[in-house]
Amino acid sequence: MSLLTDLVNLNLSDCTEKIIAEYIWVGGSGMDIRSKARTLSGPVSDPSQLPRWNYDGSSTGQAPGEDSEVILYPQAIYRDPFRRGNDILVMCDCYTPQGEPIPTNKRHNAAKIFSNPAVAAEETWFGIEQEYTLLQKDVKWPLGWPIGGFPGPQGPYYCSAGADKAFGRDIVDAHYKACLYAGIDISGINGEVMPGQWEFQVGPCVGVSAGDQLWVARYLLEVMPDPERPPGSLCEQRITEIAGVVLSFDPKPIQGDWNGAGAHTNYSTKSMRSNGGYEVIKEAIQKLGLRHKEHIAAYGEGNERRLTGRHETADINTFVWGVANRGASIRVGRDTEKSGKGYFEDRRPASNMDPYVVTSMIAETTILWNSA
């Protein structure tokens, strides 16, 4: 008699050309990720070849019960590291049956900004540093911390090695490989300053694809394959099932003398990457300073608990930039200053920010906005 794992691990390519497409979208809270799967007649390589689909928006906080249908528009395709083969993950955004973007669809406006000829000509590059915290499931306390107590002070944990300093590396490494398999431009990982906290980086990505890729990378972190499963196994298990942990994007999960969690956003345009680009960078930073309050309002919930002027942050009410200054709102790297061109880092976004909102707002402010 077959075991459940035998059936989950069936290789469908032996018996059918049909594939499974997992449609993914952002739910009603703006941070919850929803998905459901459908069968397609054969392999698909372009989102335009995929059918639109609907779901019950009243069950996700995105539509009333008396008019609950929300339509999924496929926007980007990635390889599925759970089912593998020709199966795919499909990042979607959400519309009414009349074709209007619903309020939680932040991708639609981002795509409009990035398709503006002035923005498109600048070939905007983004690299997002997504920080997150792994929590023990039953007590919601950081992984590796004594229950109800605290580890030693910060200092030995950043980019550390050792079972007494780096907690959850198997999960982090599994996620890294899943992103690479999926085709996400993940560029690295590292342990963070607070124990139990990690970071992965996505980019460089051009325009709206930065948002697509970060959301799918978050999805993969929420739904992780078992890092200890045998090679070729397709068994999908949630992160809490394989390691007994909860994923948190809270920008300040632990109060006190502990670093918060951000989503530092590195940014450049074609003009910034060209000779004389440092002057363009300084002009862009000046514009960001003039719209500081508007950006802060869009950079994530609870960010005031993180941006205190301590723990490598600038105060939320203050805008300051500097070279190699991790206590600034905007940091410019030494290499950029030396070469006279390059990129800068916006350190203000919280770990729970919406990448569609943050990336498009940076592009809009630095390229389209006129401060006069």
Side-chain angles (χ1 to χ4, degrees):
M1 183 175 180
S2 295
L3 298 174
L4 179 60
T5 53
D6 294 332
L7 297 175
V8 171
N9 295 332
L10 282 175
N11 185 351
L12 297 180
S13 63
D14 291 342
C15 60
T16 182
E17 293 182 356
K18 294 179 179 179
I19 69 162
I20 300 172
E22 190 79 27
Y23 280 43
I24 303 166
W25 70 96
V26 180
S29 74
M31 268 305 292
D32 58 315
I33 305 173
R34 308 288 180 132
S35 74
K36 62 176 184 173
R38 68 181 299 163
T39 305
L40 302 176
S41 59
V44 176
S45 59
D46 190 279
S48 64
Q49 300 172 326
L50 290 166
R52 294 174 181 175
W53 204 7
N54 67 75
Y55 67 92
D56 172 15
S58 69
S59 295
T60 63
Q62 293 172 294
E66 64 273 13
D67 188 14
S68 64
E69 194 167 286
V70 179
I71 312 301
L72 294 169
Y73 285 29
Q75 299 292 357
I77 292 176
Y78 303 90
R79 292 185 294 273
D80 187 338
F82 306 127
R83 299 186 177 104
R84 306 186 192 177
N86 291 319
D87 297 328
I88 56 175
L89 305 175
V90 184
M91 189 65 206
C92 305
D93 60 353
C94 307
Y95 296 80
T96 67
Q98 293 74 37
E100 295 296 321
I102 65 172
T104 54
N105 179 356
K106 306 304 182 184
R107 189 188 192 280
H108 178 78
N109 185 63
K112 284 175 61 177
I113 291 172
F114 286 119
S115 63
N116 181 290
V119 177
E122 283 290 352
E123 298 175 12
T124 53
W125 290 4
F126 294 93
I128 302 174
E129 306 170 25
Q130 176 68 70
E131 295 177 343
Y132 59 95
T133 308
L134 299 175
L135 306 177
Q136 300 171 61
K137 183 175 68 171
D138 296 326
V139 294
K140 302 295 176 66
W141 202 236
L143 193 65
W145 291 35
I147 296 176
F150 296 87
Q154 295 183 151
Y157 309 106
Y158 173 69
C159 295
S160 63
D164 60 338
K165 301 180 188 70
F167 310 114
R169 189 182 297 277
D170 55 346
I171 298 165
V172 175
D173 199 46
H175 174 249
Y176 195 174
K177 293 178 179 179
C179 286
L180 288 171
Y181 182 94
I184 290 169
D185 293 318
I186 186 169
S187 50
I189 59 169
N190 62 266
E192 269 303 330
V193 177
M194 190 184 85
Q197 191 179 89
W198 293 82
E199 172 185 302
F200 66 88
Q201 303 95 32
V202 170
C205 303
V206 179
V208 75
S209 68
D212 292 336
Q213 293 199 39
L214 191 72
W215 274 117
V216 174
R218 284 173 171 177
Y219 171 80
L220 294 176
L221 192 55
E222 293 272 11
V223 185
M224 277 303 306
D226 186 340
E228 297 181 355
R229 67 188 178 182
S233 167
L234 307 189
C235 182
E236 177 182 338
Q237 298 185 29
R238 292 189 176 272
I239 201 166
T240 54
E241 295 171 345
I242 67 171
V245 302
V246 172
L247 174 64
S248 172
F249 289 113
D250 191 303
K252 186 71 174 180
I254 304 296
Q255 296 302 308
D257 195 15
W258 305 100
N259 276 35
H264 303 156
T265 302
N266 299 275
Y267 170 68
S268 72
T269 64
K270 187 175 182 180
S271 297
M272 294 176 190
R273 298 187 295 270
S274 303
N275 291 334
Y278 196 36
E279 291 304 313
V280 181
I281 287 173
K282 288 191 286 186
E283 290 171 7
I285 292 173
Q286 183 180 26
K287 288 183 176 182
L288 289 169
L290 292 173
R291 297 193 74 200
H292 178 63
K293 288 184 179 180
E294 292 91 332
H295 279 256
I296 287 295
Y299 274 15
E301 295 287 331
N303 214 7
E304 71 283 351
R305 294 183 283 116
R306 168 180 162 262
L307 297 180
T308 62
R310 300 182 62 212
H311 305 113
E312 301 182 83
T313 69
D315 182 85
I316 195 168
N317 296 311
T318 304
F319 181 88
V320 60
W321 75 276
V323 176
N325 183 0
R326 282 181 163 76
S329 311
I330 304 291
R331 181 183 68 88
V332 174
R334 291 284 184 200
D335 288 344
T336 294
E337 181 190 41
K338 183 178 179 180
S339 63
K341 58 184 177 181
Y343 70 97
F344 64 83
E345 174 193 47
D346 191 338
R347 298 180 59 80
R348 296 171 296 172
S351 52
N352 59 5
M353 63 82 154
D354 188 318
Y356 294 132
V357 173
V358 169
T359 57
S360 61
M361 193 172 192
I362 291 173
E364 181 182 40
T365 295
T366 59
I367 300 172
L368 300 179
W369 186 68
N370 188 347
S371 59

